[in-house]
Amino acid sequence: KQMVLEGTQFKTGVNVGVDITAEQLQEDFDAVVLAGGATAWRDLPIPGRELDGIHQAMEFLPWANRVQRGDPVTDADGLPPLNARGKKVVIIGGGDTGADCLGTAHRQGAAEIHQFEIMARPPDTRADVTPWPTWPLMYRTSSAHEEGGERVFSVNTECFVDDGSGRVRALKAHEVVMVDGRFQPVEGTDFELECDFVFLAMGFTGPESDWITAQLGVELDGRSNVARDSDWATNVDGVFVAGDMGRGQSLIVWAIAEGRSCAAAIDEDLMGETLLPSPLVPTAAPLR
């Protein structure tokens, strides 16, 4: 498959900034939209992080997508190179990405799964601090959680334990409580948990912006996202931004709405007017 950009052919899977430069895009197009998502993952820099068997969620999950797509990446058992079959798995992070890791590990036949979350367990009903119509703080169970695994709240991982060959054998952790806005360890709660794999699903810090700032010269905001004005435009003429790359880590419904609104702004910028729908403004945010 190929895609054609202004008469220039590029193979699918193009790495923008490497296979094609920002300068070339600006020369070929009147408008460029940055919509690459917030893909710079949050890491866990603790002792033992370098051990084999410790992976970011987005190093683990894409393999399952490739299997579903029919790519020739499976072994005789139909499993990709990185899989949890028969393994003891710990997932660090209690959000949607962690739940994806949980469901994927279940389907691959993991022997045991624990999902760690540093925050306290939410209440079963809407918390008083999030009254309607704000998004309710409450305990939620996804379809992945219904399949099994143990969810562990208010726990912090201290270090990973080497099995002697450079691979993770276990992790050491302890319970925590929130005191004056900071997590404090609970005395006497230290424990060690055996594991073969650890998947880090602790969210994302923003877009992978090195090539963007170097080649395009766009400015970033205080949260490391690409800064934009009320018309979805960056500080560089003809360059716009939509989705997580400008908003930060969020849900796909926000990205879709932002993409439509950004398209309308670009249409008006190029044509002087637009009939395209514009569902929201760049500063729109969910009620909290």
Side-chain angles (χ1 to χ4, degrees):
K1 296 181 180 178
Q2 293 182 323
M3 59 182 178
V4 180
L5 302 180
E6 289 292 320
T8 304
Q9 291 185 335
F10 300 101
K11 295 180 180 179
T12 56
V14 168
N15 188 347
V16 179
V18 177
D19 301 319
I20 177 174
T21 66
E23 182 181 9
Q24 185 177 352
L25 285 176
Q26 289 174 291
E27 289 178 352
D28 290 346
F29 299 95
D30 297 312
V32 175
V33 182
L34 302 177
T39 54
W41 51 56
R42 183 174 286 108
D43 212 329
L44 187 59
I46 60 175
R49 170 61 181 89
E50 75 285 353
L51 296 174
D52 290 340
I54 303 171
H55 301 273
Q56 287 285 348
M58 293 308 295
E59 294 174 326
F60 169 61
L61 293 172
W63 283 110
N65 290 338
R66 295 188 64 183
V67 171
Q68 294 303 314
R69 193 170 62 185
D71 290 353
V73 297
T74 58
D75 59 17
D77 295 323
L79 294 169
L82 180 56
N83 70 83
R85 173 71 60 85
K87 303 299 184 181
K88 296 178 180 179
V89 174
V90 174
I91 301 163
I92 300 180
D96 293 337
T97 304
D100 289 342
C101 289
L102 179 69
T104 300
H106 277 310
R107 285 161 176 73
Q108 292 177 346
E112 183 179 295
I113 307 176
H114 290 80
Q115 185 176 12
F116 284 9
E117 170 59 65
I118 196 170
M119 301 297 291
R121 184 188 186 280
D124 291 327
T125 57
R126 179 191 291 268
D128 293 338
V129 295
T130 55
W132 188 90
T134 60
W135 179 252
L137 173 64
M138 59 187 296
Y139 185 72
R140 290 180 172 82
T141 301
S142 71
S143 56
H145 294 127
E146 292 174 350
E147 296 179 31
E150 182 177 351
R151 301 170 74 179
V152 186
F153 292 89
S154 299
V155 64
N156 180 56
T157 303
E158 295 179 4
C159 66
F160 301 110
V161 182
D162 195 332
D163 69 353
S165 69
R167 185 174 181 84
V168 66
R169 175 186 65 79
L171 58 77
K172 293 183 179 181
H174 58 259
E175 296 179 13
V176 295
V177 293
M178 181 75 77
V179 179
D180 296 329
R182 298 178 65 88
F183 291 108
Q184 300 292 340
V186 178
E187 187 176 353
T189 62
D190 299 270
F191 65 93
E192 182 173 303
L193 180 64
E194 290 187 1
C195 54
D196 302 302
F197 278 119
V198 176
F199 298 131
L200 306 178
M202 302 178 297
F204 302 84
T205 60
E208 296 178 21
S209 58
D210 289 349
W211 77 267
I212 298 172
T213 54
Q215 294 191 25
L216 279 175
V218 296
E219 296 177 352
L220 304 181
D221 62 21
R223 299 174 58 213
S224 300
N225 302 315
V226 178
R228 58 195 184 186
D229 63 17
S230 59
D231 294 319
W232 307 90
T234 70
N235 61 298
V236 178
D237 187 43
V239 179
F240 301 78
V241 60
D244 287 5
M245 191 168 275
R247 168 176 294 273
Q249 180 186 359
S250 188
L251 300 176
I252 191 171
V253 290
W254 284 98
I256 293 171
E258 287 207 1
R260 289 175 172 170
S261 301
C262 184
I266 294 171
D267 188 32
E268 185 170 1
D269 181 67
L270 296 178
M271 306 302 295
E273 60 181 356
T274 185
L275 297 177
L276 297 177
S278 183
L280 48 77
V281 295
T283 54
L287 295 174
R288 297 191 184 280

